[in-house]
């Protein structure tokens, strides 16, 4: 009986990543996830043609602050994807670090993260900052499209995180 009590507890299947690895895995997962989200938006655009994206509006606002003019269309065509992928990678990096401490965030294979990301960004921050219309002014198509692409993003980030953790950790 005492021998049983003194035995080491079995090691859990999930050993925690160090923060450096977690950030790197998250950055990689975020690039892949943003690629998947971009493909979703190419297949099914979340807004009518000719309507500027919230990210495009943010880039224009930044350009006006710096140069007093909106960014040219040709420069925005290069800048917007770079910023989009950079933001996706950074967000996923934060997700992987936080999910190491709070695995509940991984629920539904990352779909909870995708949902929360959409909710915080598209339903709260972007409208409050004036970069997108209020959720009440958007069509259900626009809302659903953004939600689905963010859920795909979250799920992809989690699947890549799992794959990297299994193969490299």
């Amino acid at each position: 009986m005492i021998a049983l009590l003194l035995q080491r507890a079995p090691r859990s299947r999930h050993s925690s990543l160090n923060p450096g690895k977690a950030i790197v895995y998250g950055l990689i997962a975020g690039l892949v996830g943003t690629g998947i989200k971009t493909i979703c938006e190419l297949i099914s655009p979340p807004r009518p043609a000719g309507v500027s994206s919230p990210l495009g509006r943010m880039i224009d606002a930044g350009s006006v602050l710096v140069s007093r003019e909106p960014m040219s269309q040709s420069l925005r065509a290069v800048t917007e994807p770079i910023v989009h992928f950079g933001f996706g990678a950074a967000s996923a990096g934060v997700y992987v670090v936080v999910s190491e401490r709070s695995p509940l965030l991984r629920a539904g294979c990352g779909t909870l993260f995708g949902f929360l990301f959409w909710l915080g960004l598209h339903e709260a921050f972007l409208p409050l900052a004036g970069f997108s219309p209020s959720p009440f002014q958007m069509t259900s198509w626009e809302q659903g499209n953004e939600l689905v692409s963010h859920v795909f993003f979250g799920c992809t980030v989690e699947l890549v995180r799992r794959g990297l953790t299994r193969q490299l950790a």
Side-chain angles (χ1 to χ4, degrees):
M1 176 75 160
I2 292 176
L4 286 175
L5 292 174
L6 295 176
Q7 283 182 345
R8 281 183 150 178
R11 197 168 169 185
S12 75
R13 286 185 50 208
H14 175 75
S15 59
S16 201
L17 292 175
N18 71 50
K21 275 187 180 179
I23 290 169
V24 171
Y25 291 4
L27 293 174
I28 294 167
L31 292 173
V32 177
T34 303
I36 295 298
K37 183 180 183 308
T38 301
I39 291 169
C40 288
E41 292 175 350
L42 289 172
I43 293 169
S44 179
R47 65 197 57 78
V51 174
S52 187
S53 71
L55 181 56
R57 291 184 194 127
M58 289 176 75
I59 289 170
D60 275 347
S63 178
V64 167
L65 283 175
V66 172
S67 69
R68 304 208 190 291
E69 293 182 20
M71 191 171 284
S72 70
Q73 209 47 26
S74 60
L75 189 54
R76 187 191 306 154
V78 173
T79 305
E80 194 166 342
I82 291 170
V83 173
H84 192 230
F85 275 84
F87 182 69
S91 300
V94 171
Y95 161 76
V96 173
V97 170
V98 172
S99 74
E100 284 297 309
R101 297 259 185 218
S102 303
L104 177 62
L105 190 55
R106 298 184 200 136
C109 189
T111 58
L112 177 62
F113 165 62
F115 172 77
L116 293 173
F117 194 54
W118 166 79
L119 189 64
L121 189 63
H122 281 274
E123 299 298 292
F125 174 76
L126 291 171
L128 289 172
F131 295 117
S132 74
S134 146
F136 303 107
Q137 296 170 319
M138 296 174 75
T139 67
S140 56
W141 173 260
E142 292 168 313
Q143 292 280 56
N145 207 315
E146 285 289 357
L147 172 59
V148 168
S149 69
H150 280 83
V151 167
F152 273 101
F153 170 77
C155 186
T156 301
V157 166
E158 176 56 22
L159 288 171
V160 172
R161 183 206 65 80
R162 287 180 188 182
L164 290 171
T165 302
R166 285 187 185 124
Q167 295 301 315
L168 304 175

